[in-house]
Short mmCIF file of all heavy atoms in Angstrom, two decimals:
data_model
loop_
_atom_site.label_atom_id
_atom_site.label_comp_id
_atom_site.label_asym_id
_atom_site.label_seq_id
_atom_site.Cartn_x
_atom_site.Cartn_y
_atom_site.Cartn_z
N MET A 269 17.65 -35.03 -19.56
CA MET A 269 17.94 -33.64 -19.15
C MET A 269 19.07 -33.17 -20.03
O MET A 269 20.05 -33.86 -20.14
CB MET A 269 18.30 -33.52 -17.71
CG MET A 269 17.15 -33.81 -16.75
SD MET A 269 17.33 -32.99 -15.10
CE MET A 269 17.21 -31.40 -15.48
N PHE A 270 18.87 -32.05 -20.57
CA PHE A 270 19.99 -31.47 -21.35
C PHE A 270 20.03 -30.00 -21.21
O PHE A 270 18.92 -29.37 -20.82
CB PHE A 270 19.93 -31.91 -22.85
CG PHE A 270 18.64 -31.55 -23.55
CD1 PHE A 270 18.60 -30.39 -24.32
CD2 PHE A 270 17.52 -32.37 -23.44
CE1 PHE A 270 17.38 -30.01 -25.00
CE2 PHE A 270 16.33 -32.03 -24.13
CZ PHE A 270 16.32 -30.85 -24.92
N SER A 271 21.08 -29.25 -21.47
CA SER A 271 21.14 -27.82 -21.29
C SER A 271 22.14 -27.32 -22.31
O SER A 271 22.76 -27.95 -23.16
CB SER A 271 21.75 -27.56 -19.84
OG SER A 271 22.98 -28.08 -19.79
N GLY A 272 22.14 -25.98 -22.35
CA GLY A 272 22.97 -25.20 -23.22
C GLY A 272 22.48 -23.83 -23.39
O GLY A 272 21.81 -23.35 -22.42
N THR A 273 22.77 -23.23 -24.52
CA THR A 273 22.22 -21.87 -24.65
C THR A 273 20.73 -21.99 -25.02
O THR A 273 20.28 -23.06 -25.40
CB THR A 273 22.95 -21.10 -25.80
OG1 THR A 273 22.65 -21.75 -27.03
CG2 THR A 273 24.44 -21.05 -25.53
N LYS A 274 20.05 -20.85 -24.85
CA LYS A 274 18.59 -20.84 -25.09
C LYS A 274 18.32 -21.43 -26.50
O LYS A 274 17.43 -22.29 -26.70
CB LYS A 274 18.04 -19.49 -24.96
CG LYS A 274 16.55 -19.33 -25.12
CD LYS A 274 16.13 -17.91 -25.01
CE LYS A 274 14.74 -17.74 -25.32
NZ LYS A 274 14.17 -16.34 -25.36
N GLU A 275 19.11 -20.93 -27.52
CA GLU A 275 18.90 -21.30 -28.95
C GLU A 275 19.11 -22.83 -29.06
O GLU A 275 18.26 -23.52 -29.79
CB GLU A 275 19.86 -20.56 -29.83
CG GLU A 275 19.55 -19.02 -29.89
CD GLU A 275 19.98 -18.28 -28.59
OE1 GLU A 275 20.90 -18.78 -27.94
OE2 GLU A 275 19.37 -17.21 -28.34
N GLU A 276 20.17 -23.34 -28.50
CA GLU A 276 20.52 -24.74 -28.76
C GLU A 276 19.43 -25.63 -28.01
O GLU A 276 18.99 -26.55 -28.66
CB GLU A 276 21.89 -25.07 -27.98
CG GLU A 276 23.10 -24.52 -28.57
CD GLU A 276 24.30 -24.55 -27.70
OE1 GLU A 276 24.24 -24.93 -26.52
OE2 GLU A 276 25.40 -24.38 -28.19
N VAL A 277 19.08 -25.20 -26.89
CA VAL A 277 18.06 -26.10 -26.14
C VAL A 277 16.71 -26.10 -26.77
O VAL A 277 16.11 -27.17 -26.98
CB VAL A 277 18.02 -25.57 -24.67
CG1 VAL A 277 16.73 -26.23 -23.93
CG2 VAL A 277 19.25 -25.83 -23.87
N LEU A 278 16.27 -24.86 -27.17
CA LEU A 278 14.93 -24.89 -27.83
C LEU A 278 14.94 -25.63 -29.14
O LEU A 278 13.91 -26.26 -29.48
CB LEU A 278 14.52 -23.43 -27.94
CG LEU A 278 14.16 -22.64 -26.69
CD1 LEU A 278 13.67 -21.21 -27.04
CD2 LEU A 278 13.10 -23.40 -25.90
N LYS A 279 16.07 -25.49 -29.93
CA LYS A 279 16.10 -26.13 -31.20
C LYS A 279 15.92 -27.68 -31.01
O LYS A 279 15.12 -28.35 -31.57
CB LYS A 279 17.53 -25.85 -31.86
CG LYS A 279 17.56 -26.33 -33.28
CD LYS A 279 18.91 -25.97 -33.83
CE LYS A 279 19.17 -26.67 -35.20
NZ LYS A 279 20.46 -26.57 -35.66
N GLU A 280 16.71 -28.21 -29.95
CA GLU A 280 16.61 -29.66 -29.64
C GLU A 280 15.23 -30.03 -29.12
O GLU A 280 14.58 -31.10 -29.47
CB GLU A 280 17.69 -30.02 -28.64
CG GLU A 280 17.77 -31.44 -28.17
CD GLU A 280 18.01 -32.52 -29.26
OE1 GLU A 280 18.44 -32.10 -30.35
OE2 GLU A 280 17.76 -33.70 -29.03
N ALA A 281 14.78 -29.13 -28.24
CA ALA A 281 13.43 -29.42 -27.56
C ALA A 281 12.33 -29.51 -28.55
O ALA A 281 11.45 -30.44 -28.57
CB ALA A 281 13.16 -28.38 -26.54
N TYR A 282 12.24 -28.52 -29.47
CA TYR A 282 11.16 -28.55 -30.54
C TYR A 282 11.32 -29.69 -31.48
O TYR A 282 10.31 -30.30 -31.85
CB TYR A 282 11.20 -27.19 -31.30
CG TYR A 282 10.59 -26.07 -30.54
CD1 TYR A 282 11.32 -24.87 -30.30
CD2 TYR A 282 9.30 -26.13 -30.10
CE1 TYR A 282 10.66 -23.83 -29.59
CE2 TYR A 282 8.73 -25.10 -29.44
CZ TYR A 282 9.37 -23.92 -29.10
OH TYR A 282 8.87 -22.91 -28.45
N LYS A 283 12.58 -30.06 -31.76
CA LYS A 283 12.84 -31.27 -32.59
C LYS A 283 12.30 -32.58 -31.95
O LYS A 283 11.54 -33.32 -32.60
CB LYS A 283 14.35 -31.38 -32.86
CG LYS A 283 14.74 -32.40 -33.93
CD LYS A 283 16.25 -32.31 -34.06
CE LYS A 283 16.80 -33.72 -34.10
NZ LYS A 283 18.23 -33.71 -34.02
N ARG A 284 12.57 -32.66 -30.63
CA ARG A 284 12.06 -33.83 -29.95
C ARG A 284 10.58 -33.85 -29.83
O ARG A 284 9.89 -34.89 -30.00
CB ARG A 284 12.70 -33.91 -28.48
CG ARG A 284 14.16 -34.22 -28.53
CD ARG A 284 14.58 -34.49 -27.05
NE ARG A 284 16.01 -34.61 -26.89
CZ ARG A 284 16.57 -35.08 -25.82
NH1 ARG A 284 15.92 -35.38 -24.82
NH2 ARG A 284 17.91 -35.22 -25.76
N ALA A 285 10.02 -32.66 -29.52
CA ALA A 285 8.50 -32.58 -29.36
C ALA A 285 7.82 -32.97 -30.65
O ALA A 285 6.79 -33.67 -30.71
CB ALA A 285 8.18 -31.17 -28.94
N LYS A 286 8.37 -32.53 -31.76
CA LYS A 286 7.82 -32.82 -33.12
C LYS A 286 7.85 -34.32 -33.40
O LYS A 286 6.92 -34.96 -33.77
CB LYS A 286 8.54 -32.07 -34.16
CG LYS A 286 7.99 -32.09 -35.51
CD LYS A 286 8.72 -31.35 -36.57
CE LYS A 286 8.26 -31.60 -37.95
NZ LYS A 286 9.19 -31.30 -38.96
N LEU A 287 9.04 -34.94 -33.00
CA LEU A 287 9.21 -36.30 -33.26
C LEU A 287 8.20 -37.15 -32.42
O LEU A 287 7.50 -38.07 -32.95
CB LEU A 287 10.62 -36.72 -32.86
CG LEU A 287 11.05 -38.26 -32.94
CD1 LEU A 287 11.07 -38.69 -34.42
CD2 LEU A 287 12.34 -38.53 -32.24
N TYR A 288 8.08 -36.83 -31.10
CA TYR A 288 7.18 -37.56 -30.24
C TYR A 288 5.75 -37.40 -30.70
O TYR A 288 4.91 -38.32 -30.68
CB TYR A 288 7.26 -36.99 -28.79
CG TYR A 288 8.64 -37.12 -28.15
CD1 TYR A 288 9.06 -36.25 -27.16
CD2 TYR A 288 9.47 -38.16 -28.55
CE1 TYR A 288 10.28 -36.31 -26.66
CE2 TYR A 288 10.76 -38.24 -27.98
CZ TYR A 288 11.13 -37.34 -26.98
OH TYR A 288 12.40 -37.49 -26.46
N THR A 289 5.35 -36.23 -31.22
CA THR A 289 3.98 -35.96 -31.72
C THR A 289 3.73 -36.92 -32.86
O THR A 289 2.61 -37.52 -32.94
CB THR A 289 3.86 -34.43 -32.09
OG1 THR A 289 4.15 -33.68 -30.96
CG2 THR A 289 2.41 -34.13 -32.51
N GLU A 290 4.63 -36.99 -33.82
CA GLU A 290 4.53 -37.84 -35.00
C GLU A 290 4.39 -39.29 -34.57
O GLU A 290 3.66 -40.08 -35.19
CB GLU A 290 5.72 -37.69 -36.03
CG GLU A 290 5.61 -36.23 -36.65
CD GLU A 290 6.96 -35.93 -37.42
OE1 GLU A 290 7.81 -36.71 -37.38
OE2 GLU A 290 7.03 -34.85 -37.98
N LYS A 291 5.35 -39.73 -33.64
CA LYS A 291 5.35 -41.13 -33.39
C LYS A 291 4.14 -41.66 -32.39
O LYS A 291 3.78 -42.74 -32.55
CB LYS A 291 6.71 -41.42 -32.50
CG LYS A 291 7.91 -41.23 -33.34
CD LYS A 291 8.16 -42.37 -34.30
CE LYS A 291 9.40 -42.18 -35.11
NZ LYS A 291 9.54 -43.12 -36.23
N THR A 292 3.72 -40.77 -31.53
CA THR A 292 2.71 -41.21 -30.55
C THR A 292 1.28 -40.71 -30.95
O THR A 292 0.35 -41.30 -30.50
CB THR A 292 2.99 -40.66 -29.20
OG1 THR A 292 2.97 -39.24 -29.20
CG2 THR A 292 4.32 -41.14 -28.68
N GLY A 293 1.25 -39.67 -31.77
CA GLY A 293 -0.04 -39.12 -32.19
C GLY A 293 -0.64 -38.22 -31.06
O GLY A 293 -1.67 -37.65 -31.20
N LYS A 294 0.10 -38.08 -30.01
CA LYS A 294 -0.24 -37.16 -28.93
C LYS A 294 0.54 -35.86 -29.15
O LYS A 294 1.83 -35.90 -29.32
CB LYS A 294 0.09 -37.67 -27.57
CG LYS A 294 -0.79 -38.77 -27.07
CD LYS A 294 -0.32 -39.16 -25.68
CE LYS A 294 -1.12 -40.32 -25.12
NZ LYS A 294 -0.55 -40.73 -23.86
N GLU A 295 -0.05 -34.71 -29.10
CA GLU A 295 0.63 -33.49 -29.22
C GLU A 295 1.57 -33.25 -28.04
O GLU A 295 1.21 -33.33 -26.89
CB GLU A 295 -0.28 -32.28 -29.29
CG GLU A 295 0.41 -30.96 -29.63
CD GLU A 295 -0.48 -29.78 -29.63
OE1 GLU A 295 -1.74 -29.93 -29.42
OE2 GLU A 295 0.05 -28.61 -29.72
N HIS A 296 2.86 -33.01 -28.31
CA HIS A 296 3.87 -32.68 -27.30
C HIS A 296 4.12 -31.24 -27.45
O HIS A 296 4.33 -30.71 -28.44
CB HIS A 296 5.05 -33.59 -27.42
CG HIS A 296 4.90 -34.90 -26.95
ND1 HIS A 296 4.08 -35.82 -27.49
CD2 HIS A 296 5.64 -35.64 -25.95
CE1 HIS A 296 4.14 -36.99 -26.86
NE2 HIS A 296 5.07 -36.84 -25.90
N VAL A 297 4.39 -30.60 -26.23
CA VAL A 297 4.67 -29.16 -26.23
C VAL A 297 5.99 -28.96 -25.37
O VAL A 297 6.38 -29.80 -24.64
CB VAL A 297 3.56 -28.38 -25.55
CG1 VAL A 297 2.29 -28.39 -26.40
CG2 VAL A 297 3.27 -28.84 -24.19
N VAL A 298 6.59 -27.81 -25.62
CA VAL A 298 7.71 -27.44 -24.85
C VAL A 298 7.29 -26.35 -23.81
O VAL A 298 7.16 -25.20 -24.12
CB VAL A 298 8.90 -26.92 -25.70
CG1 VAL A 298 10.12 -26.59 -24.84
CG2 VAL A 298 9.23 -27.86 -26.77
N TYR A 299 6.88 -26.81 -22.64
CA TYR A 299 6.41 -25.94 -21.67
C TYR A 299 7.46 -25.01 -21.17
O TYR A 299 8.47 -25.33 -20.77
CB TYR A 299 5.83 -26.71 -20.40
CG TYR A 299 5.44 -25.90 -19.26
CD1 TYR A 299 4.21 -25.28 -19.20
CD2 TYR A 299 6.29 -25.78 -18.12
CE1 TYR A 299 3.84 -24.54 -18.11
CE2 TYR A 299 5.99 -24.98 -17.06
CZ TYR A 299 4.71 -24.38 -17.02
OH TYR A 299 4.32 -23.54 -15.94
N GLY A 300 7.09 -23.64 -21.14
CA GLY A 300 7.99 -22.62 -20.72
C GLY A 300 8.82 -21.96 -21.77
O GLY A 300 9.49 -20.97 -21.58
N ALA A 301 8.80 -22.54 -23.04
CA ALA A 301 9.52 -21.88 -24.12
C ALA A 301 8.96 -20.64 -24.48
O ALA A 301 9.76 -19.69 -24.78
CB ALA A 301 9.62 -22.88 -25.32
N ASP A 302 7.65 -20.49 -24.58
CA ASP A 302 7.03 -19.20 -24.80
C ASP A 302 6.58 -18.55 -23.52
O ASP A 302 6.55 -19.27 -22.49
CB ASP A 302 5.77 -19.50 -25.74
CG ASP A 302 6.19 -20.04 -27.07
OD1 ASP A 302 7.21 -19.63 -27.57
OD2 ASP A 302 5.48 -21.04 -27.46
N GLU A 303 6.18 -17.39 -23.55
CA GLU A 303 5.80 -16.66 -22.37
C GLU A 303 4.61 -17.44 -21.73
O GLU A 303 3.65 -17.64 -22.39
CB GLU A 303 5.28 -15.19 -22.70
CG GLU A 303 4.91 -14.53 -21.40
CD GLU A 303 4.47 -13.02 -21.67
OE1 GLU A 303 5.30 -12.30 -22.25
OE2 GLU A 303 3.28 -12.78 -21.44
N VAL A 304 4.79 -17.88 -20.50
CA VAL A 304 3.77 -18.68 -19.83
C VAL A 304 2.55 -17.78 -19.39
O VAL A 304 1.45 -17.99 -19.71
CB VAL A 304 4.29 -19.39 -18.56
CG1 VAL A 304 3.26 -20.22 -17.92
CG2 VAL A 304 5.41 -20.31 -19.02
N ASN A 305 2.95 -16.73 -18.75
CA ASN A 305 1.90 -15.57 -18.48
C ASN A 305 2.77 -14.34 -18.06
O ASN A 305 3.93 -14.29 -18.03
CB ASN A 305 0.94 -15.96 -17.38
CG ASN A 305 1.45 -16.15 -16.09
OD1 ASN A 305 2.71 -15.90 -15.83
ND2 ASN A 305 0.64 -16.46 -15.01
N SER A 306 1.97 -13.27 -17.77
CA SER A 306 2.63 -12.06 -17.50
C SER A 306 3.37 -11.98 -16.19
O SER A 306 4.21 -11.13 -15.95
CB SER A 306 1.67 -10.88 -17.67
OG SER A 306 0.69 -11.03 -16.65
N THR A 307 3.00 -12.91 -15.31
CA THR A 307 3.70 -12.94 -13.92
C THR A 307 5.14 -13.47 -14.02
O THR A 307 6.01 -12.94 -13.50
CB THR A 307 2.93 -13.82 -12.97
OG1 THR A 307 1.52 -13.40 -12.97
CG2 THR A 307 3.42 -13.76 -11.59
N VAL A 308 5.31 -14.54 -14.89
CA VAL A 308 6.67 -15.13 -14.85
C VAL A 308 7.42 -15.02 -16.19
O VAL A 308 8.55 -15.11 -16.31
CB VAL A 308 6.56 -16.68 -14.48
CG1 VAL A 308 6.07 -16.85 -13.12
CG2 VAL A 308 5.65 -17.39 -15.49
N GLY A 309 6.64 -14.68 -17.27
CA GLY A 309 7.30 -14.66 -18.61
C GLY A 309 7.71 -15.96 -19.14
O GLY A 309 7.04 -16.97 -18.83
#
Side-chain angles (χ1 to χ4, degrees):
Chain A
M269 291 202 70
F270 57 97
S271 65
T273 65
K274 182 183 173 184
E275 293 74 25
E276 289 167 352
V277 169
L278 289 184
K279 190 179 169 190
E280 175 65 15
Y282 281 124
K283 191 176 131 191
R284 289 190 186 192
K286 191 182 170 199
L287 177 71
Y288 301 148
T289 303
E290 286 169 4
K291 294 284 181 189
T292 63
K294 283 183 186 174
E295 186 187 355
H296 281 63
V297 294
V298 183
Y299 171 80
D302 300 317
E303 182 180 298
V304 179
N305 70 359
S306 59
T307 305
V308 297

